[in-house]
Amino acid sequence: MKKTSENPAPSWIEYLKTWLIGAPRNLQDKAIFHNLSLIAFFAWVGLGADGLSSSCYGPEEMFLALKGHVYLAVFVAALSVTTIFVISASYSQIIELFPSGGGGYLVASKLLSPTLGMVSGCALIVDYVLTITISIASGADALFSFLPTEYLPYKLFAAFAGVGLLIWMNLRGVKESIIPLVPIFMVFILTHAAAILYALIMNAKHFPAIASGTVNDIQLAYGEIGAGGLFFLLIHAYSMGAGTYTGIEAVSNGLPILREPRVATAKRTMNYMAYSLAIAVMGLVLAYLLYGVQHQPGKTLNAVLFENITQSWPGGLGTAFVMVTLLSETALLFIAAQAGFLDGPRVVANMANDRWMPTSFATLSDRFVTRNGVVLMGTAALLMMIVTGGSVRLLVVLYAINVFITFVLSQAGMVKHWWREGTQTPGANKKLLINGVGLALSAFILCSVVFAKFNEGAWVTLIMTGGLIALAAGIKQHYKNTAVLLKRLDNLVHVAEESAAKSGNLVNKKLTFNPKAKTAVVMVNGYNGLGLHTLFNIIRFFGDTFKNFVFVQIGVVDAENFKGAQDLERLEAETKISLGRYINFMNKQGFYAEARHALSNDVVDEIEQMTGELTKRFGQIVFFGGQLVFPNETFFTRALHGYKVFALQRRLYQNGIPLFIVPIRV
């Protein structure tokens, strides 16, 4: 921005902010949605890393849970792969039914009930916080396993730095936070694909041995623990690998950040995720069996596998390959936290729009990022890191429960939907079957994980989620109570309409504009009781002092309407209609009136920019804004309601422009 008398040079703080976060984006840019959205490949990197990173520990968890009957892993892996595709297919149907996004929160809210939707949303928020925490903690563990033991005391600080780095990257923007991660992601894909293919191709002749070993293990386990014991052993191993499926839901939550056509992009991303994860899980399990991998203290099964694969490679090639592969796993674990930063703030924003969370979490920064949500997720992850000491063993117990709460509610909502559709929708029965199987698997895994891990500390996750549910319910109740109080003010709309109807024939002369007359600039947020209350109080307090009235309304661009050009056009049209009603009302009262409007994510900045043009056109202007006054002012009310009018008053005060705040008691 050029330096002028109206636009002073940016301060050093603004320069620093631009350098760190980036320059503000222009809402008028026709290509803004195209530039900010992600193609399927980038979405796979940002959203799929969470699921793919589970191949670093999911197959190992299920493999070790078999307690020596390792060949049974073939069945567990096959069931896991089936589950991956069933859940992916289920969420593809959710994407088709809810193309604007929303994921598990929106599905449960629309198809079951708003309250169950809130439960699903709270479960997702806790899950994404744990996703960030466990991903960073796991990455730190893997990183420090390469370093001398004397560096271990600094591991927690490295984890803090990892969370801080991701907060900074995500404050810059979605695409900006993903593009730097692409090379790391591709190294992981290429090295693991090469290792799995090498293992399978070079040992293809040993596949019959796996088949016979599987038969022998079945007979041995049956003889030791019986049919029931064999069944529960398989089910236990299957449930211990539940972390494998986390992240599959991320695409449906992140639809608004995907490139148009969003549904097609989302389904393509989902396919990338499902096939890559399924290949990794089955490929690694088969490779474990082909190379006779066994647990070694201080090493992951993947590390043991890669060492076994490369031990015959010439020179230092094998060592280099293992090092690069394991480092890529370390880096991917850090990247997996990105899913929590991409989808967590979006879930919070969706809940904020429905008044389950403070409305401030739906606001966007000048980079069009849900800044408050990003900071919330990062701060919560840091607190969780402190509480758990960055212990992956403890975090694993807390993890992989909440996502299945969301899975169950989402699938239940879809089953209810397709059941109601019946024969009215072609293919409804097939879709009902897919979601029905998804519901059965998700419910089974949820019950199994809760039962298996409850005494180990899983109850902590349930208490955390319950506490968040209670908080969300309290916030919703407050907003409901406030809405009831504000509804009384809406009676002013009927008063205004009746007044306009009575005086409509009294003002026949053409109203002329007098630039020297005193002008009241009234800030409104729609043609409602709040705006009319402010207007009527101006007339009541100041009589006929003001001859000109200017109504200013900023269409606030938030997470709800920043989804496409059509949403912005609708917002602008609604803004113009409400301002037109104010002008019509004042004209019929004999006052000259104009309106100013704009679309922006920041009301204060936008109105301040308008003051230059207003002071030129109108000689004497005074701003007026209304502010709610509650019977009992508490920290809760201050946290849940914006006080932008006070911030604007301070800003205009510096420019020598008066702003009167009209109290609105509710």
Side-chain angles (χ1 to χ4, degrees):
M1 183 179 291
K2 295 181 179 179
K3 181 179 179 180
T4 66
S5 59
E6 297 177 5
N7 297 314
S11 65
W12 68 270
I13 295 179
E14 291 171 325
Y15 274 121
L16 180 62
K17 176 189 171 186
T18 300
W19 181 71
L20 287 173
I21 307 300
R25 297 190 185 276
N26 183 10
L27 190 61
Q28 307 304 319
D29 182 4
K30 300 293 185 182
I32 187 169
F33 292 103
H34 180 83
N35 294 334
L36 291 177
S37 59
L38 302 176
I39 61 174
F41 175 76
F42 287 146
W44 180 37
V45 175
L47 300 173
D50 179 24
L52 198 56
S53 70
S54 65
S55 65
C56 301
Y57 52 83
E60 177 175 351
E61 288 287 333
M62 67 175 71
F63 196 78
L64 296 178
L66 290 170
K67 299 178 180 179
H69 299 286
V70 293
Y71 286 99
L72 298 180
V74 174
F75 295 111
V76 181
L79 186 56
S80 298
V81 168
T82 302
T83 304
I84 290 170
F85 284 115
V86 168
I87 294 177
S88 298
S90 301
Y91 270 91
S92 291
Q93 294 183 174
I94 290 175
I95 288 169
E96 292 175 351
L97 194 61
F98 296 91
S100 61
Y105 167 69
L106 186 63
V107 173
S109 297
K110 299 292 186 183
L111 301 182
L112 295 176
S113 73
T115 301
L116 287 176
M118 177 268 288
V119 172
S120 178
C122 289
L124 270 177
I125 292 171
V126 174
D127 177 70
Y128 283 131
V129 169
L130 289 171
T131 294
I132 296 170
T133 310
I134 194 173
S135 297
I136 297 295
S138 299
D141 276 0
L143 176 63
F144 277 78
S145 66
F146 293 102
L147 300 177
T149 55
E150 57 264 26
Y151 287 97
L152 282 177
Y154 301 101
K155 184 172 67 174
L156 195 58
F157 294 103
F160 288 167
V163 176
L165 177 63
L166 284 176
I167 292 175
W168 168 67
M169 292 173 65
N170 281 276
L171 288 176
R172 290 184 61 84
V174 172
K175 188 175 288 187
E176 287 79 358
S177 68
I178 290 176
I179 290 178
L181 308 178
V182 172
I184 298 172
F185 186 83
M186 291 310 300
V187 170
F188 177 91
I189 291 292
L190 294 174
T191 54
H192 283 68
I196 291 172
L197 285 174
Y198 181 88
L200 299 182
I201 293 172
M202 297 300 293
N203 295 275
K205 62 183 179 181
H206 297 304
F207 277 102
I210 292 180
S212 61
T214 303
V215 172
N216 292 335
D217 248 352
I218 292 174
Q219 295 174 345
L220 181 62
Y222 180 81
E224 291 177 353
I225 55 181
L230 174 60
F231 174 77
F232 282 109
L233 178 63
L234 292 171
I235 294 305
H236 175 66
Y238 172 66
S239 63
M240 290 306 293
T244 303
Y245 321 117
T246 58
I248 295 178
E249 84 294 340
V251 179
S252 63
N253 287 318
L255 263 170
I257 64 174
L258 301 186
R259 181 73 53 84
E260 294 283 3
R262 287 176 180 159
V263 171
T265 302
K267 294 177 76 171
R268 192 176 302 118
T269 304
M270 187 72 77
N271 286 335
Y272 291 165
M273 291 175 60
Y275 282 102
S276 59
L277 181 56
I279 291 171
V281 170
M282 182 57 79
L284 286 171
V285 167
L286 290 176
Y288 292 163
L289 296 174
L290 290 170
Y291 281 88
V293 172
Q294 296 181 353
H295 174 66
Q296 294 183 19
K299 292 184 179 181
T300 65
L301 289 189
N302 284 4
V304 176
L305 171 66
F306 298 143
E307 289 175 356
N308 290 350
I309 289 175
T310 60
Q311 63 181 354
S312 61
W313 291 12
L317 180 61
T319 302
F321 180 84
V322 172
M323 183 65 68
V324 171
T325 304
L326 293 180
L327 284 175
S328 73
E329 284 194 358
T330 300
L332 188 74
L333 288 167
F334 278 107
I335 296 175
Q338 181 64 7
F341 279 110
L342 289 180
D343 279 348
R346 193 161 299 281
V347 174
V348 176
N350 288 333
M351 294 181 69
N353 286 321
D354 292 333
R355 303 300 188 265
W356 292 108
M357 290 288 162
T359 54
S360 58
F361 284 107
T363 60
L364 300 175
S365 69
D366 54 16
R367 298 282 295 176
F368 295 102
V369 171
T370 48
R371 175 177 54 202
N372 294 336
V374 169
V375 173
L376 172 69
M377 300 303 292
T379 303
L382 287 173
L383 290 175
M384 186 62 67
M385 196 80 70
I386 293 172
V387 171
T388 61
S391 170
V392 175
R393 183 174 296 276
L394 178 57
L395 287 166
V396 165
V397 175
L398 305 179
Y399 193 48
I401 292 178
N402 276 19
V403 70
F404 282 98
I405 295 176
T406 297
F407 280 175
V408 168
L409 292 174
S410 300
Q411 301 305 325
M414 293 297 288
V415 167
K416 179 181 177 181
H417 171 75
W418 296 125
W419 183 268
R420 285 182 172 179
E421 289 294 304
T423 58
Q424 299 177 13
T425 302
N429 290 333
K430 177 183 177 182
K431 295 177 179 179
L432 173 63
L433 176 63
I434 292 173
N435 285 122
V437 174
L439 173 60
L441 289 174
S442 299
F444 175 79
I445 295 172
L446 174 62
C447 294
S448 300
V449 172
V450 171
F451 178 79
K453 297 184 177 181
F454 187 83
N455 291 329
E456 298 177 24
W459 56 270
V460 176
T461 305
L462 300 178
I463 289 178
M464 290 167 52
T465 307
L468 186 58
I469 289 171
L471 177 62
I475 292 172
K476 181 72 168 183
Q477 189 59 49
H478 172 80
Y479 281 126
K480 277 185 177 180
N481 295 340
T482 304
V484 171
L485 296 173
L486 291 177
K487 195 170 183 180
R488 301 173 188 170
L489 292 176
D490 288 338
N491 291 328
L492 294 176
V493 175
H494 302 296
V495 173
E497 290 175 348
E498 291 176 0
S499 175
K502 291 178 181 178
S503 60
N505 297 324
L506 299 179
V507 181
N508 294 317
K509 64 179 181 179
K510 183 178 180 181
L511 297 173
T512 57
F513 167 57
N514 181 3
K516 296 182 179 180
K518 290 184 173 62
T519 302
V521 181
V522 187
M523 295 177 294
V524 298
N525 65 346
Y527 192 73
N528 51 36
L530 289 172
L532 290 170
H533 185 281
T534 304
L535 176 61
F536 291 166
N537 272 303
I538 295 172
I539 297 173
R540 182 162 65 94
F541 291 142
F542 295 94
D544 59 354
T545 301
F546 298 100
K547 305 299 182 183
N548 303 323
F549 284 82
V550 179
F551 296 93
V552 175
Q553 181 175 346
I554 307 301
V556 179
V557 179
D558 57 19
E560 174 68 13
N561 48 46
F562 189 69
K563 295 178 180 178
Q566 291 182 343
D567 294 297
L568 296 183
E569 291 171 0
R570 175 184 50 77
L571 177 63
E572 185 169 24
E574 292 173 353
T575 302
K576 289 180 178 179
I577 290 172
S578 64
L579 289 173
R581 296 180 69 180
Y582 279 109
I583 293 174
N584 181 59
F585 172 74
M586 292 307 291
N587 286 165
K588 289 184 176 182
Q589 304 303 317
F591 294 96
Y592 180 82
E594 292 184 9
R596 299 291 187 276
H597 79 279
L599 301 184
S600 177
N601 64 296
D602 193 316
V603 173
V604 175
D605 281 348
E606 196 64 37
I607 292 179
E608 184 186 23
Q609 291 178 23
M610 288 183 178
T611 57
E613 184 268 333
L614 290 173
T615 52
K616 285 181 180 179
R617 177 164 172 76
F618 302 96
Q620 304 177 60
I621 64 171
V622 177
F623 276 77
F624 291 89
Q627 176 60 50
L628 294 178
V629 179
F630 292 92
N632 297 308
E633 192 78 14
T634 65
F635 171 79
F636 201 59
T637 58
R638 289 191 293 271
L640 298 182
H641 297 275
Y643 288 80
K644 289 185 172 61
V645 68
F646 292 109
L648 182 60
Q649 187 183 49
R650 288 192 296 271
R651 194 81 64 86
L652 296 185
Y653 172 79
Q654 294 174 344
N655 296 332
I657 299 174
L659 188 157
F660 284 87
I661 298 177
V662 179
I664 303 174
R665 293 187 176 276
V666 294

